[in-house]
Amino acid sequence: MVEIVFSESSCACLKEAYSYGRGPYPDAAPAMMHYGIRGGELLSEAEKAKIIQDHHEKERKRWEAAVPMEGSTGDVFDLGYSLSAGDISEEAFGEKRTDNLEQALQRIREGEPVRIWYSDNPDEACGMLWFLWKIHRLDISCNEITAVKLPGWIHEESTDTLKQMQAWGEMEPGLWGKLKENGHVLPQRFCEVCAMRWEELRRENAPLRAVINGHVVSVETDFYDRFLLDTFESPEEEVREGRLIGRVLNRQLGVWDGWIHLRIGKFIDDGRIEVVKESEADQIYGRILRKR
């Protein structure tokens, strides 16, 4: 089975899913540091031991409840081209991704079935449309194409936790094997319609593509701007850039931190956001910002 994902993080998670849950739980203590607890005092050794014990108990439950993926990590192909932003009129992409694509297509030509892991994350939704367009454009006859869409929420029974999901890169490795059962075979006509939709998006070649009501649509560069500006809690608030970016990401819009950083830079240039304090040399997104 050829497994298609659309980001490095989802590729790493899926590859881990082939071994996760096989054999006894590997009881290796994680490296843990604790700061800012109880007025800035470090935890006691007993408290640290309790945290590590609780961590292992949760991980053991996840491990024992996991359904490992069948096959091998060599079945997984990362075709993440970040297609939700930028010029999509050209067909050529980076050399590494192109090698992945050619290997995947060769195995498909040889008759292997395909499984696509996608979601309403713009990059993954665009990736699925593009991949079906590519197969259609090359006139490749597929034995079978299955698609697995990411659920909006995941209830992990082993730890009784509920998590809102945005992209496959966030998925616990032990859950891929279960969720693959949600896959459905794509009718040929559906694949053709997806290919035609991507061709339309290529002709429009907008700066951004977003998912609205389950459909990929072309949008302008400023589409997400109001969500960014609204995350300032008051006109007087001074907030670190990293925290501001985190607030936007928590809205589950499907944008990534680098894009938000670029838009913040544009707002600074336009005078809509001011830099109260520049970040230290070793800090990422460490500027202190205020909305004007």
Side-chain angles (χ1 to χ4, degrees):
M1 174 76 79
V2 175
E3 309 282 0
I4 303 295
V5 294
F6 301 106
S7 72
E8 291 183 357
S9 57
S10 57
C11 181
C13 290
L14 178 51
K15 286 186 174 183
E16 187 179 355
Y18 286 87
S19 58
Y20 193 90
R22 295 189 188 278
Y25 170 61
D27 192 14
M32 303 181 73
M33 301 293 286
H34 305 280
Y35 298 99
I37 306 297
R38 292 189 290 106
E41 295 183 5
L42 292 175
L43 295 173
S44 68
E45 292 302 316
E47 289 171 318
K48 289 181 182 179
K50 179 64 167 59
I51 289 175
I52 291 175
Q53 180 182 359
D54 291 345
H55 167 81
H56 278 308
E57 181 60 22
K58 290 180 181 179
E59 286 301 309
R60 182 188 62 78
K61 289 180 179 179
R62 289 193 180 102
W63 182 273
E64 294 176 350
V67 176
M69 289 285 293
E70 298 296 329
S72 72
T73 57
D75 297 333
V76 182
F77 295 90
D78 172 18
L79 302 183
Y81 299 109
S82 300
L83 295 172
S84 68
D87 188 346
I88 57 171
S89 61
E90 301 293 332
E91 291 193 48
F93 297 103
E95 182 177 349
K96 180 179 178 182
R97 294 289 197 271
T98 300
D99 288 344
N100 281 339
L101 174 61
E102 290 305 320
Q103 292 175 37
L105 293 179
Q106 182 57 37
R107 289 178 58 170
I108 295 169
R109 289 188 181 99
E110 293 171 356
E112 286 195 51
V114 184
R115 182 158 47 214
I116 304 172
W117 304 83
Y118 78 107
S119 69
D120 282 337
N121 173 277
D123 277 344
E124 293 184 345
C126 286
M128 178 177 175
L129 294 180
W130 164 81
F131 183 70
L132 295 174
W133 169 83
K134 192 69 174 180
I135 290 177
H136 181 75
R137 187 175 181 83
L138 296 176
D139 196 24
I140 297 176
S141 178
C142 294
N143 181 36
E144 182 178 280
I145 302 178
T146 301
V148 185
K149 186 172 184 180
L150 180 73
W153 294 86
I154 291 290
H155 177 234
E156 192 174 350
E157 296 180 3
S158 61
T159 56
D160 193 27
T161 56
L162 188 65
K163 181 180 179 181
Q164 187 174 13
M165 305 301 297
Q166 180 175 342
W168 279 103
E170 303 171 349
M171 183 57 61
E172 294 283 346
L175 297 179
W176 291 75
K178 295 180 180 180
L179 293 175
K180 77 177 190 300
E181 303 302 325
N182 294 344
H184 57 279
V185 176
L186 301 180
Q188 179 62 31
R189 182 54 184 160
F190 177 84
C191 295
E192 293 172 356
V193 170
C194 288
M196 288 189 291
R197 179 57 188 144
W198 186 250
E199 187 61 43
E200 292 172 352
L201 292 167
R202 290 182 72 235
R203 287 198 299 268
E204 294 167 357
N205 201 24
L208 283 177
R209 281 150 292 281
V211 177
I212 300 177
N213 294 329
H215 300 283
V216 179
V217 297
S218 297
V219 296
E220 294 303 315
T221 307
D222 61 358
F223 181 74
Y224 297 109
D225 286 359
R226 71 178 184 86
F227 299 102
L228 170 57
L229 293 173
D230 287 349
T231 56
F232 285 92
E233 295 180 351
S234 71
E236 299 78 23
E237 183 190 24
E238 297 181 359
V239 58
R240 190 175 300 276
E241 182 178 4
R243 182 178 294 275
L244 190 67
I245 290 175
R247 291 175 184 174
V248 180
L249 294 177
N250 285 338
R251 294 193 173 195
Q252 305 287 314
L253 301 173
V255 293
W256 61 99
D257 60 332
W259 175 261
I260 304 169
H261 172 70
L262 290 175
R263 295 308 293 168
I264 289 174
K266 180 66 165 58
F267 288 154
I268 292 172
D269 293 340
D270 292 345
R272 302 171 71 182
I273 291 178
E274 67 173 309
V275 179
V276 178
K277 180 182 178 182
E278 291 288 352
S279 61
E280 302 295 333
D282 60 344
Q283 289 183 328
I284 300 177
Y285 305 148
R287 296 180 292 189
I288 305 298
L289 307 173
R290 180 170 58 207
K291 185 169 70 170
R292 284 182 170 175

